[in-house]
Amino acid sequence: NGETEEWSLINNSSTDVPLAWYVLSDTNSTNLVASRNANIISIKGIFNGAAVDTEYTVDDEPWIQAIDHSIPPDLLENNHYQEFWHIQINTLGIIKLAMENRGTENILLDGVSTLTDKVQIRTINDTWSATFWFGYSDKKIRKYIGNFGPGTVEMTYLITQ
């Protein structure tokens, strides 16, 4: 149908922290870029057909946009806690979240026991949380349990490859 829905993340190769986040959607008339310079996160472009030029002042905590692509390398050390900034794609608002490694856990994927790091992500005020399991050796997301915010249905995703 010719519709385009895509996003991409440009990370700092040494820290794996985002430098820029690009979103393109013909369906939602969206074409925007978000970037961070020191303690300013800026969002510019078109969002749902309307012009956007917004800046947010944030503290020194990292900006993590796609948890399955930009998790800090040291986070998966047991019991590591990290607060971070995140742009909400549905509103372009910014929110501070927290993630904590809950240790290792074996989960079944295609009938095979797989060792994973279990990570909980939540809002600072505990109004929302989700749990992610990352492959212990490759650090790729393997399982997710959560919802898309208060009042929405909880879902489970298993990623086998």
Side-chain angles (χ1 to χ4, degrees):
N1 64 12
E3 299 284 321
T4 302
E5 290 263 345
E6 60 185 71
W7 63 269
S8 61
L9 201 57
I10 308 298
N11 285 353
N12 179 316
S13 60
S14 63
T15 63
D16 209 27
V17 171
L19 298 174
W21 176 51
Y22 301 90
V23 180
L24 176 64
S25 172
D26 292 340
T27 305
N28 296 325
S29 301
T30 297
N31 186 354
L32 58 87
V33 62
S35 60
R36 181 171 184 168
N37 184 6
N39 286 5
I40 303 290
I41 295 178
S42 62
I43 306 170
K44 298 179 188 308
I46 306 294
F47 180 67
N48 291 333
V52 173
D53 188 354
T54 303
E55 289 187 342
Y56 295 102
T57 301
V58 297
D59 60 21
D60 291 334
E61 297 294 356
W63 167 36
I64 301 176
Q65 194 53 43
I67 188 64
D68 57 334
H69 289 87
S70 62
I71 193 165
D74 66 339
L75 175 72
L76 295 180
E77 294 175 8
N78 202 19
N79 298 321
H80 184 85
Y81 175 87
Q82 177 70 60
E83 292 181 358
F84 65 97
W85 293 101
H86 180 79
I87 299 169
Q88 297 175 288
I89 186 58
N90 58 335
T91 64
L92 298 187
I94 194 162
I95 187 170
K96 193 177 226 184
L97 299 173
M99 66 174 92
E100 183 175 6
N101 190 334
R102 297 297 176 101
T104 58
E105 183 175 307
N106 282 303
I107 62 172
L108 282 178
L109 294 174
D110 288 339
V112 176
S113 181
T114 304
L115 183 63
T116 63
D117 284 299
K118 183 178 180 180
V119 176
Q120 182 187 45
I121 299 180
R122 63 177 175 78
T123 54
I124 298 299
N125 62 6
D126 286 324
T127 58
W128 172 87
S129 70
T131 305
F132 296 76
W133 288 258
F134 295 90
Y136 186 79
S137 59
D138 66 7
K139 307 305 181 204
K140 293 182 179 177
I141 189 168
R142 298 293 181 214
K143 181 178 177 181
Y144 166 86
I145 296 178
N147 60 28
F148 294 106
T152 62
V153 176
E154 182 175 273
M155 295 180 278
T156 299
Y157 295 97
L158 293 173
I159 298 95
T160 58
Q161 295 191 25

